[in-house]
């Protein structure tokens, strides 16, 4: 029925090419939501993407916007420089949990604390995906990885870091939310949150931050369907979904309720 | 044949997430492999009419493998059904 009206269309800013991600990897959904928001906010000519190191390293192949590839963890620092040099640009980073919460923790915290007018898209899959599944600061207690084969131990390694709560507590943050893409309802809510995370810095209110809980079936040693179930059964109870900060007021926030 | 939903077999990686969200449960795993070596999903001809064009499969698909089109509006009761073009 190709002559009928499309019920689903891919955003024009997303390159329509096969991705390199593993089967069931939700980086594909996360980057599509970013592309949809870039299209809806008409940012394709204005956006500058700061890529990070991790499985999303090739994001510049998928988003048809100008981009800079940052050294591991340094995307928020690079974004700061790009935004200050080109204040009219819509600057955003796309980072994994190893990149953002391990090696890049300092850059991330200070970027948010300074209230840089940039967007951070944080894809939390509780593991270092690209390098073969080492423990990340967000790895769940008990979760087995190559560097904690007996499972993460809270006594030795601490508890998983809740980045959205931390970022929301910083003065320079204008918007912070955690979302998931494990169900159709959550995908729709996630899209709205990604959009708010772009709108907050564009409205000159401060930093926009959105954490997307995502699967890494390969390194979780699960099928994509099992991995997707783990999001609601294990991750969301510890990493609650929701809007943690929003300086855009009630009206702008309408419809962004992203609770579990 | 009305096909409101189509899967691009070259993009499908057989993750089966679409099968878990389709309200009509009309998507199944085929026995075919694509050129990348992934098993691909399919909608059998005899159930494709049950698709409501809700696009749940397209929203959950990480690989942009699904296209969904709206069906033409159904004729109301009593009206002659001459709107089935498409
Ligand atoms: C300076 C430096 N240290 C370490 C690495 C190795 N390295 C590459 S990706 C990565 C972690 C990726 O994990 P994450 O950010 O969670 O991304 P994911 O692949 O899970 O999406 C590490 C440690 C590197 N590339 N550069
Ligand atoms: S290793 Fe994990 S994060 Fe990387 S592409 Fe595969 S599933 Fe995705
Ligand atoms: Mg990761």
């Amino acid at each position: 029925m190709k002559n009928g009206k499309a019920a689903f269309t891919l955003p024009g800013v997303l390159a329509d090419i096969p991705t390199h991600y593993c089967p069931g990897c939700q980086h594909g959904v996360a980057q599509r939501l970013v592309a949809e928001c870039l299209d809806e906010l008409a940012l394709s000519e204005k956006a500058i993407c700061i890529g990070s190191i991790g499985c999303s390293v090739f994001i510049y192949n998928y988003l048809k916007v100008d981009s800079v590839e940052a050294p591991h963890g340094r995307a928020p620092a690079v974004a700061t420089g790009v935004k200050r040099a080109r204040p009219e640009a819509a600057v955003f980073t796309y980072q994994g949990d190893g990149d953002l919460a391990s090696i890049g923790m300092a850059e991330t915290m200070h970027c948010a604390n300074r209230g840089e007018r940039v967007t951070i898209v944080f894809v939390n899959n509780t593991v270092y995906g690209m390098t073969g599944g080492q423990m990340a600061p967000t790895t769940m207690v008990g979760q087995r990885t190559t560097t904690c084969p007996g499972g993460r131990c809270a006594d030795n390694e601490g508890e998983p870091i809740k980045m959205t709560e931390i970022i929301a507590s910083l003065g320079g943050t204008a918007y912070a939310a955690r979302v998931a893409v494990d169900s159709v309802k959550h995908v729709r809510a996630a899209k709205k949150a990604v959009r708010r995370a772009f709108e907050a810095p564009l409205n000159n209110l401060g930093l926009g931050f959105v954490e997307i809980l995502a699967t890494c079936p390969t390194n979780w040693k699960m099928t994509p369907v099992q991995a997707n179930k783990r999001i609601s059964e294990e991750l969301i109870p510890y990493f609650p979904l929701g809007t943690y900060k929003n300086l855009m007021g009630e009206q702008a926030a309408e419809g962004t309720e992203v609770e579990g | 044949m009305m096909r409101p939903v189509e899967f691009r077999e070259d993009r499908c990686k057989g993750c089966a997430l679409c099968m878990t969200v389709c309200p009509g449960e009309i998507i199944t795993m085929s026995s075919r492999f694509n050129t990348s070596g992934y098993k691909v999903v399919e909608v059998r001809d005899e159930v494709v009419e049950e698709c409501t064009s809700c696009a749940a499969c397209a929203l959950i698909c990480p690989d942009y493998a699904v296209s969904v089109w709206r069906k033409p509006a159904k004729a109301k009761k009593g009206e002659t059904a001459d709107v089935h073009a498409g």
Side-chain angles (χ1 to χ4, degrees):
Chain A
M1 262 188 333
K2 286 180 186 151
N3 50 353
K5 217 173 150 227
F8 174 84
T9 40
L10 285 177
V13 75
L14 185 75
D16 191 8
I17 53 171
T19 72
H20 70 290
Y21 301 117
C22 304
C25 173
Q26 288 172 338
H27 268 303
V29 180
Q31 71 181 27
R32 190 192 80 218
L33 295 181
V34 171
E36 288 177 0
C37 292
L38 291 174
D39 257 16
E40 283 179 16
L41 297 168
L43 294 176
S44 63
E45 295 299 318
K46 229 182 124 180
I48 301 178
C49 171
I50 316 298
S52 69
I53 304 303
C55 282
S56 64
V57 68
F58 296 128
I59 189 133
Y60 50 74
N61 286 336
Y62 303 123
L63 299 181
K64 295 191 269 180
V65 296
D66 288 338
S67 56
V68 182
E69 188 60 47
H72 201 18
R74 279 33 167 178
V78 174
T80 299
V82 171
K83 181 66 183 184
R84 289 185 179 203
R86 297 276 303 276
E88 75 291 350
V91 180
F92 69 98
T93 72
Y94 183 108
Q95 302 171 257
D97 47 321
D99 188 274
L100 181 138
S102 268
I103 190 168
M105 183 62 130
E107 284 76 4
T108 305
M109 299 271 289
H110 286 290
C111 180
N113 196 53
R114 290 191 305 268
E116 300 295 339
R117 272 42 171 178
V118 301
T119 299
I120 292 180
V121 179
F122 168 40
V123 178
N124 178 4
N125 59 11
T126 77
V127 80
Y128 292 4
M130 183 197 200
T131 43
Q134 293 79 8
M135 183 177 64
T138 44
T139 296
M140 298 296 284
V141 170
Q143 181 180 338
R144 292 168 195 272
T145 72
T146 56
T147 47
C148 52
R152 182 185 184 144
C153 166
D155 275 351
N156 276 325
E157 289 102 34
E159 297 199 353
I161 298 182
K162 299 182 178 185
M163 283 310 302
T164 302
E165 286 83 334
I166 293 173
I167 297 296
S169 74
L170 300 174
T173 303
Y175 180 84
R178 183 184 291 115
V179 296
V181 290
D182 62 319
S183 67
V184 171
K185 184 180 158 217
H186 285 166
V187 170
R188 290 190 204 279
K191 158 95 166 280
K192 287 179 186 146
V194 173
R195 194 179 154 128
R196 300 291 176 234
F198 273 95
E199 286 169 339
L202 291 175
N203 289 324
N204 203 25
L205 295 169
L207 181 120
F209 185 92
V210 60
E211 172 175 351
I212 303 174
L213 299 179
T215 55
C216 176
T218 300
N219 290 299
W220 294 1
K221 313 260 184 273
M222 290 178 173
T223 66
V225 171
Q226 288 168 338
N228 197 47
K229 274 209 189 101
R230 179 178 184 243
I231 298 277
S232 58
E233 287 173 2
E234 235 184 287
L235 298 201
I236 293 175
Y238 182 82
F239 292 115
L241 306 186
T243 307
Y244 287 80
K245 188 170 187 184
N246 186 1
L247 297 187
M248 284 178 287
E250 284 304 300
Q251 224 168 5
E254 211 176 290
T256 36
E257 259 335 297
V258 286
E259 78 284 344
Chain B
M1 170 65 61
M2 309 250 285
R3 292 200 79 91
V5 59
E6 269 178 27
F7 289 83
R8 297 196 280 182
E9 291 205 350
D10 56 325
R11 297 296 173 84
C12 180
K13 294 175 184 163
C15 75
L17 291 178
C18 54
M19 290 166 51
T20 68
V21 297
C22 174
E25 298 181 9
I26 64 170
I27 309 167
T28 52
M29 193 61 70
S30 75
S31 49
R32 289 187 303 285
F33 293 88
N34 64 16
T35 49
S36 305
Y38 294 119
K39 247 194 185 173
V40 296
V41 297
E42 66 179 1
V43 178
R44 291 186 321 277
D45 285 349
E46 54 282 19
V47 286
V48 73
E49 297 266 0
E50 284 167 44
C51 173
T52 60
S53 305
C54 73
C57 50
L59 286 170
I60 208 86
C61 176
D63 288 286
Y64 328 131
V66 200
S67 304
V68 188
W69 295 274
R70 284 187 225 292
K71 293 181 172 184
K74 275 211 180 100
K76 284 197 197 102
K77 246 192 177 165
E79 274 176 34
T80 42
D82 56 355
V83 286
H84 282 304

